[in-house]
Amino acid sequence: MRNLIDILDFSTEEIDGLIAVANDIIDNPEKYRDVCHGKILGTLFFEPSTRTRLSFTSAMMSLGGQVLGFDNAASSSTAKGETVQDTIRMVSAYSDIIAMRHPKEGAPIAASRVATVPIINAGDGGHYHPTQTLTDLITIKRKSGRFDNLTVGICGDLKYGRTVHSLIAAMSRYENVKFVLIAPDELVLPDYVKEEFLKTSEYTETVDLEGAIPSLDILYMTRIQAERFADRDEYERLKDSYILDASKLKCAKSTLSILHPLPRVNEIAVDVDDDPRAHYFEQAALGRYIRMALILKLLDTKGVDDRRTDGKEDPTLECRNPHCLTLTERGIKKLFKEGKCIYCDQTAVKI
Ligand code: NCD
C-alpha cells in the first residue's frame, strides 16, 4: 500500500504518469465513469476547505465511487477527545482510501501508521500540501510545457504556506529551476524547508515583488495565512504586504503564468483576472482531474510506504515544534530519524 504524505513520496516519473492519466480523463471522461464503482473515499477535514474537499468529492463521484466524511472537527468525535489515530482506525474500516486535512503538522504520518487503507495528506498545518502541488504541476505542464529551465517566483506567506513548501520540494528536482522567494522578513521560508529542498537549487530572497516580476516564468501568489499567527496584530500588519495588480504586470513576460492555490484574499486584484496569463481558476479546476488520477493510482498500488516503519524512539530527544501533532496526541509514539522528528521534519532538541 502506498500513501501520499509528502510530494517526494512520488518520483518525477510517477508524477508524469499522473499528469498523463489526468489529461486522458479530461479528453475521455466516459472511460473513467465507473472505474471506482463500489469504492468509498473518506474525506476527513479537521480544518476548513472548499476546493480540496469538494474536488476530492467530485473526483471520486466522477469515477463512480462514493464519499463519506466530515468537514469540520466539531462534528466528529474529535470534539469528544478522540485521537487522530483512533479516528483513522475507525474510518479505515469504513472506506477504501482516506483524504485528510488537519491543523497539526505530522497528523497524516501518524494516521498512516495505523491506517489499513491509503492516506492522502490534504494539508497538515503549515507543513505540506502535496495534492495542491499536483494541481500546480499539471497547470505548469499545460501552460509552460515543461518543468525545467524555469524561474519560479513565490510570493507571500512562505513561512506558513504549506502549498509553498510542497511546491518547492517538487520543483527543486528539475534541471535549472531558479526560485525567487518574495516575502516580508517575518514570513520568509523556514530553515527546515531550505535545508531539505534547496541544497542544490539556485534561489534568491527578496522583499520586492515588482523588481522580481520581469525575470519570472511563473508567479505563484499566496495568501497570508491568518489562522497560523499567534499574534493577531502581526497578521494585521502583514496581511496586505503584496497586492498584485494589472499595473505591476506591465513589465512581465508575455509567457508568464500567474498561479495561486486559492482562496485569495487581497493579494491579487480582480483586474488581473482577465489577463490571459492568470491561470488560477483553471488551476483549481484541474485539481479535480489530477485527484481522480491520484485516487486511481493509490487504489491500485501494491508498493510499500517505508514511513510506516520509519524512525526510532529516543528518550534523549524531544520535538519542540509547537505545531507538531506529537505534542497534543495522547499515546503517540515519538519517533526520530537522523535527529529529526519523523512527523514534522523539524530538528529535535537533546534533553
Ligand atoms: C491552500 C491551503 O489549504 O493550504 N488552499 C487550497 O488547498 N487550495 C492555500 C490557502 O489556504 O491559502
Side-chain angles (χ1 to χ4, degrees):
M1 195 170 65
R2 297 269 306 271
N3 304 298
L4 176 61
I5 305 256
D6 167 340
I7 192 69
L8 299 188
D9 291 342
F10 288 167
S11 66
T12 52
E13 291 76 21
E14 286 181 302
I15 288 174
D16 290 342
L18 283 172
I19 292 174
V21 172
N23 285 334
D24 191 51
I25 294 171
I26 292 168
D27 294 339
N28 306 290
E30 68 294 340
K31 232 169 83 182
Y32 294 87
R33 203 167 284 152
D34 288 317
V35 288
C36 283
H37 181 76
K39 297 287 182 194
I40 297 173
L41 166 72
T43 55
L44 310 189
F45 279 67
F46 299 86
E47 232 191 16
S49 169
T50 302
R51 268 150 296 274
T52 306
R53 190 174 63 82
L54 296 183
S55 68
F56 263 116
T57 302
S58 166
M60 193 49 157
M61 288 175 162
S62 308
L63 294 167
Q66 287 176 296
V67 184
L68 54 76
F70 50 82
D71 60 8
N72 101 50
S75 66
S76 76
S77 280
T78 308
K80 302 180 187 169
E82 186 167 61
T83 61
V84 171
Q85 289 195 321
D86 280 358
T87 303
I88 292 293
R89 283 186 175 99
M90 291 302 94
V91 181
S92 285
Y94 307 148
S95 56
D96 300 289
I97 182 165
I98 294 173
M100 65 178 285
R101 167 172 289 187
H102 197 279
K104 292 286 178 186
E105 300 179 16
I109 294 186
S112 74
R113 294 183 74 101
V114 297
T116 54
V117 300
I119 294 289
I120 300 170
N121 178 7
D124 62 324
H127 192 209
Y128 296 144
H129 192 349
T131 70
Q132 178 61 47
T133 303
L134 292 176
T135 303
D136 304 339
L137 293 174
I138 188 173
T139 313
I140 291 171
K141 193 65 188 233
R142 287 170 72 97
K143 297 299 172 189
S144 301
R146 62 185 194 278
F147 292 130
D148 52 5
N149 298 303
L150 290 170
T151 300
V152 182
I154 308 183
C155 176
D157 189 343
L158 310 194
K159 180 177 180 187
Y160 298 118
R162 56 192 172 196
T163 68
V164 170
H165 306 162
S166 292
L167 179 64
I168 289 175
M171 291 300 290
S172 67
R173 291 194 289 188
Y174 299 103
E175 286 289 306
N176 196 27
V177 169
K178 297 188 184 104
F179 295 98
V180 184
L181 306 174
I182 309 154
D185 292 339
E186 294 85 345
L187 298 177
V188 296
L189 197 69
D191 287 340
Y192 80 92
V193 179
K194 282 189 198 157
E195 284 159 20
E196 291 275 316
F197 310 122
L198 287 179
K199 275 208 189 90
T200 55
S201 298
E202 199 179 309
Y203 70 92
T204 52
E205 294 183 283
T206 177
V207 293
D208 178 13
L209 171 61
E210 263 181 284
I213 283 178
S215 69
L216 304 179
D217 299 302
I218 292 170
L219 173 55
Y220 192 90
M221 294 297 296
T222 64
R223 166 179 79 87
I224 309 293
Q225 307 276 303
E227 65 277 34
R228 313 259 177 248
F229 279 73
D231 177 354
R232 192 73 206 174
D233 291 343
E234 182 167 62
Y235 169 70
E236 288 297 326
R237 193 161 51 73
L238 295 171
K239 68 178 186 191
D240 291 328
S241 297
Y242 296 104
I243 299 179
L244 180 70
D245 56 24
S247 70
K248 292 198 180 78
L249 287 166
K250 288 215 176 87
C251 296
K253 291 186 185 174
S254 61
T255 52
L256 174 72
S257 263
I258 305 164
L259 305 183
H260 191 308
L262 302 180
R264 77 168 145 191
V265 186
N266 274 335
E267 59 281 352
I268 301 185
V270 291
D271 68 1
V272 177
D273 295 356
D274 294 330
D275 189 303
R277 296 166 292 188
H279 299 312
Y280 28 90
F281 294 121
E282 192 177 337
Q283 179 187 359
L286 287 167
R288 172 182 174 196
Y289 302 105
I290 199 77
R291 288 183 172 100
M292 288 170 80
L294 174 65
I295 291 169
L296 286 175
K297 177 177 173 68
L298 289 180
L299 283 176
D300 224 31
T301 309
K302 301 277 182 293
V304 181
D305 182 346
D306 293 338
R307 289 158 175 280
R308 283 170 184 268
T309 50
D310 224 7
K312 288 207 163 44
E313 289 183 280
D314 183 341
T316 69
L317 291 178
E318 193 171 278
C319 178
R320 296 254 175 96
N321 170 9
H323 308 293
C324 181
L325 180 78
T326 59
L327 273 62
T328 49
E329 174 97 342
R330 289 186 315 283
I332 195 167
K333 266 197 186 149
K334 302 195 173 171
L335 298 163
F336 303 92
K337 188 179 174 187
E338 291 159 12
K340 290 186 175 181
C341 169
I342 67 146
Y343 298 92
C344 70
D345 299 315
Q346 302 246 358
T347 303
V349 176
K350 272 249 177 253
I351 48 171

